[in-house]
Amino acid sequence: DSVCVESFSPPFGLSRLLSTLRRRFNDLVWEYVGPDRAPLASAILLGNREQLSAARRDEFIQTGTVHLLAISGLHVGILAGSFFLLFRFGFASRRSALWATLLFVLAYEWLVEFRPPVTRAAILLVLLCFGRLYGKAGFGFNLLALAALAVLVMNPADLFRVGPQLSFLAVAGMILFRDSIFRPLSDDPLERLIRSTRRWPTRCLRKFAWRIRQVVLVSSLIWLLALPLVACRFHLVSPIAPLLNPLLLVPISLALYTGLGLFLFGGWLKPVADCLGMVCTAALSSLESVIHQCQELPFSHFWTVGPSPIATVLFYFDFFSLCIGLPKPKQKICLRSEEHTSELQSRQYL
C-alpha cells in the first residue's frame, strides 16, 4: 500500500527487451539445471546473487573464490576467448573474429545490465580488440591506464571501491611479471627440434604441465598482490585460494559454456538443452563440492586485523615503484662464426 507508481516503461524499448530476456534466461536455468544448482548458475551466468543463501556465499568468501559469483573479467575472458577461438577454427578471418568477439563482449555486457566488474572487463577487451585490429598486439600499462580513465569517467567513486582496486591490481601484476610467467618453453631452436621428435603423448603432457605451471603462478601472484588489500578491507586471509582457484577453472568454464548453450538452445531444442543442463549441473556440483571440502580444511582461512589503509597504500606504492624502477635484463647478443652457424644448421638437419 505504501508503493506508488510514478511512471510506466514504454511497451517497446531496450529496457523492456533486456528485462524480458533476463527473465526468460533465468527461467531456462531453473528448468534445465534444477532447483538445487539453479541459484548458483543464475549468479554465475546472470549475476543474480540474491538467489543464493548467505551460508553458500560465505563458503565462497572464506575460500577466496567469491570472484566466481560476481560476473567479472574471468567470466568475460573465458567466454570471449572461446568465442574468438570458435571463429579462428576456419569459420572467419582474424579480423572478422576480432569484430565478432568485440560485439559478443558488448552484447553480454548489456545482458548483465552493465554491472561494474563486467564493464571494466569489457573496456579492457574492447581496447585490446581495437589494438589488435590496428596492429597493436601488446597489452601494457598504457592500455590499462586508458581503461582506468574510462572507468573513472563512468563512475569516479570506483576509485575508492575494493572491486575496481582488486581488478586493476591483478591485471597490473600480470603485466608486470608477464615475461617471467608467460614465457615459452624454450627459445633454443635445437631444443625445439629435439622436442618435436618426441612422441605426441609426451609433448602434450609436457605442454599441459607447462600450462598448469603458468596458471598456478598467475593465481599465486594475484593472491599475494591482493593479500594486503583483502586483509585491510575484509580482515580475511585464505591460504587455500592460490591452489583452489586453478582447480576450479575447468568446472567454471564448463558451467559458463553450457549455460550459454542453454540460452541459445533452451527455447527450441529440448534434447540438446537437457544434455547441456546435465553437464552444467555436474560442473556446478563438483565446483561446490570442492569449495565445501576445502572450506572445512584446517588453516584454509583465518580472520585477522589486517594492515591500516595508510600502510596498505604505502606498500603498493613502494612495491610498484621498486618493480618499475628495477633495470631490465639486457638481451644477450651472440655473434656466431660461419663454422658455428654451419655446424648448428647440420645439427638441426640431423
Side-chain angles (χ1 to χ4, degrees), residues 180-345:
S180 302
I181 296 177
F182 300 105
R183 60 184 179 86
L185 275 172
S186 177
D187 294 330
D188 189 6
L190 185 58
E191 290 187 10
R192 291 202 303 265
L193 178 65
I194 294 174
R195 192 165 60 248
S196 63
T197 59
R198 293 172 179 163
R199 288 189 275 184
W200 68 267
T202 305
R203 296 199 307 268
C204 293
L205 186 61
R206 183 181 176 87
K207 191 172 183 179
F208 178 74
W210 188 260
R211 295 299 183 189
I212 292 295
R213 170 189 173 274
Q214 290 179 339
V215 172
V216 173
L217 285 177
V218 169
S219 178
S220 303
L221 172 65
I222 294 176
W223 181 77
L224 287 173
L225 287 177
L227 180 60
L229 183 57
V230 172
C232 173
R233 299 295 295 270
F234 302 107
H235 310 289
L236 177 67
V237 176
S238 304
I240 197 66
L243 297 177
L244 181 58
N245 281 295
L247 292 176
L248 301 179
L249 278 178
V250 174
I252 191 66
S253 300
L254 284 177
L256 288 172
Y257 297 151
T258 52
L260 191 63
L262 284 178
F263 296 163
L264 295 175
F265 303 106
W268 57 281
L269 207 57
K270 186 173 174 56
V272 176
D274 288 333
C275 296
L276 292 174
M278 292 174 58
V279 176
C280 186
T281 304
L284 294 176
S285 299
S286 61
L287 185 143
E288 279 201 294
S289 176
V290 171
I291 290 177
H292 180 71
Q293 293 177 4
C294 291
Q295 190 261 345
E296 293 182 346
L297 291 175
F299 303 107
S300 62
H301 68 280
F302 57 89
W303 303 96
T304 181
V305 176
S308 64
I310 297 178
T312 305
V313 172
L314 291 176
F315 167 78
Y316 285 116
F317 178 78
D318 295 339
F319 176 76
F320 281 99
S321 299
L322 178 63
C323 292
I324 295 175
L326 289 177
K328 296 181 179 180
K330 297 181 179 180
Q331 295 181 353
K332 296 181 180 180
I333 301 176
C334 300
L335 300 177
R336 296 188 177 94
S337 61
E338 294 183 0
E339 295 180 357
H340 190 194
T341 304
S342 60
E343 180 183 356
L344 180 60
Q345 291 177 351

Side-chain angles (χ1 to χ4, degrees), residues 105-146:
V105 169
L106 294 178
Y108 188 70
E109 183 187 11
W110 173 74
L111 178 64
V112 296
E113 298 179 320
F114 296 96
R115 295 173 184 268
V118 184
T119 302
R120 295 191 295 269
I123 290 173
L124 285 173
L125 283 171
V126 167
L127 291 176
L128 182 62
C129 289
F130 272 118
R132 300 230 170 185
L133 283 171
Y134 292 99
K136 303 293 184 180
F139 185 88
F141 285 106
N142 288 334
L143 193 60
L144 184 64
L146 184 60

